[in-house]
Amino acid sequence: MYAQHPQQQNALAQSKGSDAKYQNQALYARAGGSAAVSGAASGSYGAPPSAGNVAGTTGVHVSSNAGGQAMADGDSEALYQLMVELFSATNREQALAELSRRRDQNPDLGVALWNAYGVMTILYQEIIAIYPLLNPPALTMSVSNRVCNSLALLQLVATHEQTRMQLLKANVPQLLYPFLSTTSKVKQYDNLRLTSLGVIGALVKYDNREVISFFVVTEFLPLCLKIMDIGSELCKVVATFIFQKIIIDDGGFQYVTSNPKRLHTVLVILNNVVNQMVTMPSGRLLKSVTKCLIRLADNQEAKEKMQEGLSEHLRDSTFAHVLAEDVSYRRLIYQLLVKLT
């Protein structure tokens, strides 16, 4: 069902090389060697997906060369050593955890991960290796944490402006779709879904039409809507944010509103999300849902459907305490109700 992109197949094929060769090439890339950098830039070694926010900077200098960038000395030396440790089956789990913990130390770590020979292949393997544990559910918390650390590193690649579109053009985000299709509500699966959504959320937040088109064409929306409907609160928040970014784009908006059945499904799910918050409201989620409804009201058919079937909880005093505490939410609700008159 989840066909591998040719670049994904190339990446997996590369994993059959020797560890010693990979370590040498990774260090060569660190030093700015043209062979390693040009190979990584060409995509022949594969480059996995990622998304999320790179917070902060330590002021470490980043030097450039013909094919990409390599981080320089200081704390970056420790990060490079951890990248080399990824090639050891014995040390990989700890190296993934430590790299994930330190991912905010250098804003260009994502570029270094992308360009270092073989590193992206390892992250691919970490993701693909747990597919058999998804159905029937057999994922342990330790394995889930390990994969989430890999996804956190992919997040850096997806966030960086130099690698974001390369990752997308390689169809790599589709590697995460099997995680999003899981339905088990135990924590290890919820963490997996949340971290995967973080990767996709980082990609869509830049309002790039090509990015939105990718997620429309690859049938991501059904997975997103399902999580909005039955996911945990945090997963709902991120999934609704992603959906909001998709329909802000004209292409995504047209896709959702041009099909009456699809539009009906979307409106039902948004109402469900609101109704589920009656006993445990979430200000963040309420605002995201309201923004989605405001945007959908730009379509006449959607507007008419909402005039008839909008959840009464958005009209009455159910969320009065949220309205009282959050001025921005009051403005959104007012905007929605005015738009539906």
Side-chain angles (χ1 to χ4, degrees):
M1 178 177 179
Y2 300 99
Q4 289 180 354
H5 186 276
Q7 291 193 25
Q8 297 170 13
Q9 295 172 343
N10 291 342
L12 292 174
Q14 289 291 336
S15 67
K16 298 179 181 179
S18 67
D19 283 357
K21 175 182 176 182
Y22 279 140
Q23 292 179 18
N24 291 338
Q25 291 287 2
L27 291 171
Y28 191 40
R30 176 186 66 178
S34 60
V37 173
S38 63
S42 71
S44 59
Y45 311 137
S50 67
N53 297 323
V54 180
T57 176
T58 57
V60 179
H61 175 67
V62 178
S63 60
S64 301
N65 53 44
Q69 293 187 345
M71 294 183 297
D73 41 3
D75 289 340
S76 298
E77 190 65 29
L79 296 176
Y80 275 116
Q81 184 56 44
L82 288 169
M83 289 167 62
V84 173
E85 293 295 319
L86 294 175
F87 297 95
S88 165
T90 303
N91 300 333
R92 181 178 300 169
E93 182 173 2
Q94 181 59 35
L96 286 169
E98 191 64 19
L99 278 168
S100 176
R101 187 179 70 82
R102 298 187 182 192
R103 63 186 180 274
D104 293 337
Q105 288 186 4
N106 192 299
D108 293 294
L109 177 57
V111 179
L113 291 167
W114 179 274
N115 286 330
Y117 186 97
V119 168
M120 291 296 103
T121 299
I122 290 172
L123 297 182
Y124 278 128
Q125 289 177 319
E126 290 293 309
I127 292 171
I128 294 171
I130 70 162
Y131 284 178
L133 305 179
L134 301 180
N135 190 19
L139 191 65
T140 64
M141 183 58 77
S142 62
V143 173
S144 176
N145 289 341
R146 176 170 173 160
V147 178
C148 286
N149 285 330
S150 298
L151 292 172
L153 299 180
L154 293 181
Q155 192 175 353
L156 300 180
V157 182
T159 301
H160 204 287
E161 60 181 359
Q162 293 185 29
T163 52
R164 186 185 311 132
M165 295 310 297
Q166 296 180 61
L167 143 71
L168 195 76
K169 289 175 181 178
N171 284 350
V172 178
Q174 287 183 280
L175 288 177
L176 310 185
Y177 289 8
F179 299 160
L180 299 177
S181 68
T182 60
T183 56
S184 174
K185 295 189 177 183
V186 296
K187 187 173 179 60
Q188 52 263 44
Y189 287 91
D190 189 62
N191 288 348
L192 200 59
R193 288 188 293 269
L194 181 61
T195 314
S196 299
L197 286 170
V199 173
I200 295 171
L203 287 168
V204 302
K205 74 178 182 179
Y206 296 100
D207 298 324
N208 182 296
R209 179 158 294 183
E210 188 176 352
V211 172
I212 301 303
S213 176
F214 173 88
F215 288 111
V216 169
V217 170
T218 58
E219 294 293 326
F220 164 75
L221 272 176
L223 298 172
C224 184
L225 290 169
K226 183 187 70 175
I227 293 174
M228 288 167 60
D229 194 22
I230 66 173
S232 65
E233 179 189 336
L234 280 177
C235 283
K236 285 175 183 284
V237 168
V238 181
T240 306
F241 166 79
I242 294 170
F243 179 74
Q244 174 196 333
K245 300 300 273 186
I246 288 174
I247 62 174
I248 285 174
D249 177 82
D250 289 341
F253 181 76
Q254 177 67 17
Y255 176 79
V256 169
T257 58
S258 62
N259 184 299
K261 186 175 181 180
R262 186 180 300 129
L263 176 59
H264 174 76
T265 300
V266 166
L267 293 175
V268 167
I269 288 175
L270 288 172
N271 264 350
N272 288 347
V273 175
V274 172
N275 295 336
Q276 290 163 10
M277 283 189 284
V278 171
T279 57
M280 192 175 296
S282 164
R284 290 181 300 174
L285 188 51
L286 275 169
K287 285 196 281 190
S288 287
V289 170
T290 306
K291 288 176 182 178
C292 291
L293 293 169
I294 291 171
R295 171 57 170 156
L296 290 171
D298 290 336
N299 175 267
Q300 185 60 33
E301 182 181 354
K303 180 178 178 179
E304 292 173 358
K305 287 180 178 294
M306 282 189 277
Q307 287 171 335
E308 298 173 1
L310 182 69
S311 173
E312 286 301 318
H313 298 302
L314 291 176
R315 301 180 187 270
D316 61 24
S317 60
T318 301
F319 302 118
H321 63 290
V322 180
L323 289 168
E325 297 170 357
D326 194 328
V327 175
S328 62
Y329 180 58
R330 286 205 301 272
R331 290 171 180 162
L332 287 171
I333 283 292
Y334 178 76
Q335 183 181 352
L336 174 63
L337 297 180
V338 168
K339 205 166 189 178
L340 294 181
T341 56

